[in-house]
Amino acid sequence: MRIVIAEDQVLLREGLKMLFVDGGHEVVATFGDTDGLLAAVTSYRPDLVVADIRMPPGFGDEGARAAQAVKSAHPEIGVLLLSQHIETHHVVELVSLGGFGYLLKDRVLDVGEFLASAERVARGGSALDPQVVAGLVARRGAGDPLAMLTDRERDVLELMAEGLTNSGIAKRLYLSERTVEAHVRHVFTKLSLPETEDGHRRVLAVLTHLSATPDRGR
């Protein structure tokens, strides 16, 4: 992969660069803020952009807005957002574009899994942090269709929303693929979602359903 990194923390920025280089990838540019990021992407045409959500000068959602600009101008380029906090405001809109991931920074410590997620995003897939997915699930109130899911079906749902295939889910949960396929069918049936083997469409369908009802109490 050819990668552009935007991260204001110098140690993390350099650490990410070394991690990708050690993994056999090429980091073509790094930034401490989002200024010039879109221009660099247009110039270098990387396979993947990795950016912090909270960036200078406001440390709000500058990284997420930059991600939207990148995907709008270059939808074929993968974008992986990193954050120390769970922020779901931009998730559904960005994942609907494909080639999008959102991970908490702690996930970087699991180098193998992190690189696999980054590569999946660069190929046009999705990679969503399980805590982010769990946060979306938790926002749904009592009486919601999710209440009909068993604990195992919820596990499968969260891994589906991370972008894992049935084979990947089976390995993560130490189940057979046939068992996972059965759980997936039950999830789709109970949530009234169209069944498909396309990983991105599965993620989009799940997230769209989870975000369809506004937060309770708002």
Side-chain angles (χ1 to χ4, degrees):
M1 296 184 296
R2 287 165 51 83
I3 303 162
V4 170
I5 299 173
E7 165 60 56
D8 63 291
Q9 298 181 36
V10 177
L11 289 179
L12 180 55
R13 184 169 69 244
E14 292 303 310
L16 286 169
K17 180 178 178 179
M18 292 178 60
L19 186 154
F20 281 119
V21 171
D22 288 347
H25 304 296
E26 179 185 5
V27 177
V28 296
T30 62
F31 295 87
D33 53 38
T34 57
D35 291 343
L37 178 60
L38 183 57
V41 169
T42 300
S43 175
Y44 289 107
R45 302 305 291 265
D47 302 296
L48 179 70
V49 173
V50 179
D52 192 353
I53 287 184
R54 297 185 178 184
M55 298 280 285
F59 294 96
D61 62 350
E62 287 86 354
R65 287 188 280 110
Q68 290 175 318
V70 169
K71 294 298 291 184
S72 177
H74 306 286
E76 76 283 1
I77 294 177
V79 173
L80 176 59
L81 291 178
L82 301 177
S83 178
Q84 290 180 320
H85 312 280
I86 299 175
E87 303 173 39
T88 59
H89 179 64
H90 298 278
V91 170
V92 175
E93 181 179 355
L94 283 168
V95 79
S96 69
L97 302 176
F100 171 73
Y102 173 21
L103 300 175
L104 296 184
K105 290 183 178 179
D106 288 348
R107 302 297 167 184
V108 177
L109 299 177
D110 187 339
V111 176
E113 185 67 28
F114 175 74
L115 288 177
S117 296
E119 291 164 3
R120 186 163 66 245
V121 170
R123 292 194 301 266
S126 302
L128 297 179
D129 195 285
Q131 290 191 40
V132 174
V133 178
L136 286 167
V137 172
R139 283 163 49 182
R140 303 296 296 243
D144 197 271
L146 288 182
M148 296 186 295
L149 301 184
T150 65
D151 289 342
R152 180 59 79 190
E153 288 166 354
R154 283 173 177 264
D155 292 338
V156 169
L157 169 65
E158 292 183 10
L159 293 177
M160 284 169 54
E162 285 183 53
L164 271 65
T165 62
N166 286 355
S167 175
I169 294 172
K171 292 177 181 177
R172 183 77 67 85
L173 298 180
Y174 302 100
L175 300 173
S176 69
E177 286 194 45
R178 180 172 295 182
T179 299
V180 171
E181 289 171 2
H183 285 313
V184 169
R185 286 196 301 271
H186 294 158
V187 169
F188 278 127
T189 298
K190 291 179 180 180
L191 300 185
S192 301
L193 294 170
E195 186 167 358
T196 171
E197 285 304 310
D198 183 284
H200 167 63
R201 291 176 66 186
R202 286 174 19 143
V203 172
L204 178 58
V206 170
L207 288 183
T208 299
H209 184 80
L210 293 178
S211 64
T213 302
D215 291 357
R216 308 290 185 184
R218 279 194 172 185

